[in-house]
Amino acid sequence: MSDAEGSEGGEEEEGAVGTLVLEGGVRPAEELDAEEVQRMELGKVDDVRKVAKLDGSKRMNDILKEIEKYQANPSTPEQMAMPTHSNPEYNLIVQANNLSVDVDNEIMVVHKFIRDHYAPKFPELEQLVTDPQMYIRSVRALANSEDPTKVNLQGILPPAIIMSVLVTATTTAGQQLPDAEWKAVQRACDLADRLEEARKKIFMYVSSRMNILAPNLSAIVGTTTAAKLLGVAGGLSGIAKMPACNVHLLGAQKKIAAGFSTITQKKHTGFIFQSEIVQQTPPEYRMKVQRTVGAKCALAARMDLERQRRDGSYGQQLREKIEKHIDRLAAPPPSKIVKALPIPNDGPKKRRGGKRARKAKEAYAQTELRKLQNRMAFGAPEEEVGAFDQTKGLGMIGTGKVRANVGEAKSRAKLSKANKLRIAALTKAAQSGTATSGTATSLTVTPVQGFELTNRAAAAQRVKEANERWFSNGTFSFVGQKGTNTKK
């Protein structure tokens, strides 16, 4: 391929808008954008057949004849249970669904043609009556009469709109149409009626057959969207074999071109996004909901492919789950509950007990020294330490006696029997007379040997034993000393 051909092909791809269609699927009909139709200038077109060519075409006639044939002789349940690629009525359902899209496009164009040609007669009517079908019926009823206020519009328009139309008709600046112009408007109204009849016939047929072919899928997204999904996916087997996260992309535009509907201008949106259940969801939740609906459609398609739950009850259950999910998403956040204050507890507060708790209390307990600092003597100045503004009062530290910190009796640890006996023995030994003073020493100073290491307790014990041995039973009398004179 040459560079020129490659560039031309690239330009064609850039200008084209593609739709995601699986192998074996049928490309769906493209919907016209309402804004694009509004920009059309059809006032200079003298015949509606020049812009609306679908009515009477071979394609439309063949499809309508096939629909009448299958309505007269519907397929048996065995034939409907056949795979979609071998079921001739399935192809007709897809073609009829695409034809209904083309019919809707034609009705929009015909409506625009009628408005442009009837505007010189009653220019305010298109603002008063916005519905296309009501507008066409109103034009047929008002016709080309000189006095529109004498026309009976009962049964064509609601009473409130009838009053607005009659009041506006008395002040309108419109002029009566020429005969040729009015005949063109009449032909366009007749064409719109025929297209509306064909659309209703196609819709009734597709709805009835889709409820048999895919009842569970139709229960979730409707018969029209279900037919579109089957058309681009190549049947129920295509949707059933597809990952659930990709189902909502069926019918998505590969490239968004200018002038297309705002419905298709979002990325990663397809036929499911245009379904009724998604469009009724608040806009901020539609992207989330379409993924949920796509996943449920995959489950429903698998159930339909297995020919189970043919009454559509499974699809109804899935739709109810989707609606509950939408309600949860759209529900306001729960309001904060202001909790009341707890009832005050008058009883004693629970405190931790045990050895560890007692140790912690003793470690952080107030000492006797701190208690004395917190006291002040009456009528006496307090002694302070420190300098300048960094001074501390001593309270009664200098006057009182510091007592030892004695723990509470109830917080004291319980002693075992062995420890009690041991403490009693130590106390008894300390109180006995044999106990030596803590300041006693074994060093003795003698004139001969100097410092001498002696055992004073042992020496005293020997003296005591000797006295008891020699002097315990006798008496001692003092007679006198030798070498002394006594006076007579």
Side-chain angles (χ1 to χ4, degrees):
M1 180 184 293
S2 63
D3 296 340
E5 292 176 353
S7 61
E8 290 177 2
E11 291 175 0
E12 290 178 0
E13 290 179 359
E14 185 178 356
V17 177
T19 305
L20 180 60
V21 181
L22 300 184
E23 185 178 356
V26 179
R27 184 175 296 277
E30 295 180 359
E31 299 182 10
L32 283 180
D33 183 17
E35 296 178 359
E36 184 179 355
V37 175
Q38 292 296 329
R39 290 193 294 268
M40 292 181 179
E41 295 292 339
L42 302 180
K44 299 180 181 180
V45 181
D46 55 353
D47 190 3
V48 70
R49 287 288 183 179
K50 293 181 180 180
V51 292
K53 302 177 181 179
L54 182 63
D55 182 57
S57 63
K58 184 176 182 301
R59 170 172 169 251
M60 183 174 179
N61 292 335
D62 291 344
I63 292 176
L64 292 178
K65 285 180 182 178
E66 289 292 324
I67 289 175
E68 293 175 357
K69 170 186 170 183
Y70 279 105
Q71 284 179 339
N73 299 312
S75 300
T76 61
E78 291 78 11
Q79 291 176 340
M80 293 300 295
M82 295 170 59
T84 54
H85 63 273
S86 58
N87 186 356
E89 192 172 2
Y90 167 72
N91 295 328
L92 177 62
I93 292 171
V94 175
Q95 293 176 9
N97 196 61
N98 289 341
L99 179 63
S100 67
V101 177
D102 293 335
V103 170
D104 290 337
N105 294 339
E106 289 280 282
I107 291 175
M108 289 175 60
V109 174
V110 173
H111 175 234
K112 174 63 175 173
F113 179 88
I114 295 173
R115 280 192 304 165
D116 289 352
H117 285 75
Y118 197 72
K121 176 69 175 67
F122 199 165
E124 297 87 1
L125 185 62
E126 58 181 293
Q127 279 85 24
L128 299 174
V129 184
T130 57
D131 182 70
Q133 294 303 320
M134 284 187 181
Y135 182 85
I136 293 171
R137 290 197 299 267
S138 302
V139 169
R140 190 184 291 278
L142 292 171
N144 199 21
S145 60
E146 295 181 0
D147 189 3
T149 59
K150 297 180 180 179
V151 178
N152 184 14
L153 297 176
Q154 297 293 334
I156 299 175
L157 297 175
I161 298 180
I162 292 175
M163 181 63 66
S164 301
V165 170
L166 294 179
V167 171
T168 309
T170 58
T171 58
T172 183
Q175 301 294 329
Q176 195 170 5
L177 297 176
D179 292 340
E181 194 76 13
W182 170 241
K183 288 181 180 178
V185 173
Q186 282 184 318
R187 288 193 298 269
C189 291
D190 295 338
L191 177 60
D193 291 341
R194 290 195 299 271
L195 290 174
E196 182 64 22
E197 266 183 45
R199 191 186 70 82
K200 289 181 179 179
K201 181 186 291 187
I202 294 170
F203 178 76
M204 294 298 294
Y205 170 74
V206 171
S207 300
S208 62
R209 305 319 287 168
M210 283 302 299
N211 287 328
I212 299 174
L213 184 64
N216 295 299
L217 182 61
S218 301
I220 298 177
V221 293
T223 55
T224 304
T225 305
K228 291 179 181 180
L229 292 175
L230 294 186
V232 298
L236 284 171
S237 60
I239 300 179
K241 295 176 182 178
M242 183 186 303
C245 59
N246 294 340
V247 175
H248 68 278
L249 297 176
L250 290 175
Q253 302 290 334
K254 291 183 180 177
K255 179 175 176 55
I256 305 301
F260 270 73
S261 174
T262 55
I263 293 179
T264 59
Q265 284 184 2
K266 281 182 175 284
K267 290 184 178 181
H268 312 300
T269 58
F271 293 136
I272 290 180
F273 188 82
Q274 303 171 19
S275 62
E276 180 185 2
I277 188 172
V278 177
Q279 290 301 312
Q280 290 177 351
T281 308
E284 59 268 23
Y285 304 117
R286 288 177 185 173
M287 298 299 288
K288 285 185 178 181
V289 172
Q290 75 156 351
R291 290 192 289 268
T292 304
V293 174
K296 301 302 183 186
C297 286
L299 296 176
R302 292 164 190 168
M303 185 66 70
D304 291 332
L305 187 63
E306 294 296 327
R307 302 297 169 186
Q308 297 180 6
R309 308 280 288 272
R310 303 299 298 165
D311 57 348
S313 58
Y314 183 69
Q316 288 292 342
Q317 292 177 6
L318 295 179
R319 186 181 176 95
E320 290 175 1
K321 291 182 180 179
I322 295 171
E323 291 174 350
K324 289 181 181 178
H325 177 63
I326 295 173
D327 293 340
R328 285 196 299 270
L329 288 177
S335 58
K336 294 183 179 179
I337 301 175
V338 180
K339 293 184 178 180
L341 293 175
I343 300 174
N345 190 6
D346 297 335
K349 192 174 181 180
K350 292 184 179 180
R351 300 184 182 277
R352 181 181 174 86
K355 185 177 179 181
R356 183 182 300 177
R358 288 193 298 271
K359 292 292 184 184
K361 289 178 183 178
E362 292 174 2
Y364 293 100
Q366 194 175 30
T367 62
E368 292 294 328
L369 195 65
R370 178 66 66 183
K371 290 179 181 179
L372 288 175
Q373 185 187 10
N374 293 338
R375 296 184 186 132
M376 291 186 66
F378 181 75
E382 183 184 18
E383 186 178 355
E384 294 182 351
V385 294
F388 304 107
D389 58 344
Q390 300 293 330
T391 58
K392 288 285 185 180
L394 296 180
M396 296 180 66
I397 289 180
T399 58
K401 293 183 178 180
V402 180
R403 293 176 294 178
N405 190 11
V406 181
E408 296 180 0
K410 63 180 181 180
S411 65
R412 235 176 251 164
K414 293 183 180 180
L415 297 176
S416 63
K417 188 175 181 180
N419 283 338
K420 287 181 180 179
L421 295 174
R422 178 172 170 273
I423 292 175
L426 291 175
T427 305
K428 185 178 180 181
Q431 292 176 354
S432 65
T434 58
T436 57
S437 174
T439 58
T441 179
S442 300
L443 294 177
T444 304
V445 181
T446 61
V448 180
Q449 297 179 352
F451 286 99
E452 181 181 356
L453 183 61
T454 61
N455 190 349
R456 290 181 177 273
Q461 186 66 21
R462 287 196 300 271
V463 170
K464 183 179 180 181
E465 290 177 358
N467 290 335
E468 289 178 355
R469 179 181 179 185
W470 301 107
F471 303 107
S472 62
N473 296 326
T475 59
F476 177 77
S477 299
F478 180 76
V479 179
Q481 284 185 336
K482 186 179 179 180
T484 60
N485 294 324
T486 57
K487 293 182 179 180
K488 296 181 182 180

